[in-house]
Amino acid sequence: PVLAGGDSLAIAMNAANEVANQAFREGRIGFMDIVATVEAVLDRTIDAPVGSLDEVWETDHMARRMAEEVVNA
């Protein structure tokens, strides 16, 4: 889905993966929870093109916030 989707999915996947990997290294989640976290964020991300750097940062911030919510749930 990410490769066939808009820019927002790739940005969200990267951001969620970074948050989940950090949480794993800190011992807050298990290894298999990395994939579950990324999937949960992608399920909640709107598939859309991103046309500006501001939109990149906004999408990244939103995905990181969602990933932290998943990790802390």
Side-chain angles (χ1 to χ4, degrees), residues 23 28-29 37 65-73:
R28 297 189 294 144
I29 63 173
T37 300
R65 188 177 66 244
M66 285 191 288
E68 281 293 342
E69 290 172 4
V70 172
V71 165
N72 293 325

Side-chain angles (χ1 to χ4, degrees), residues 30-51:
F31 181 74
M32 297 306 291
D33 295 322
I34 295 171
V35 173
T37 300
V38 173
E39 287 178 341
V41 171
L42 289 176
D43 286 346
R44 296 170 52 190
T45 301
I46 297 170
D47 181 5
V50 175

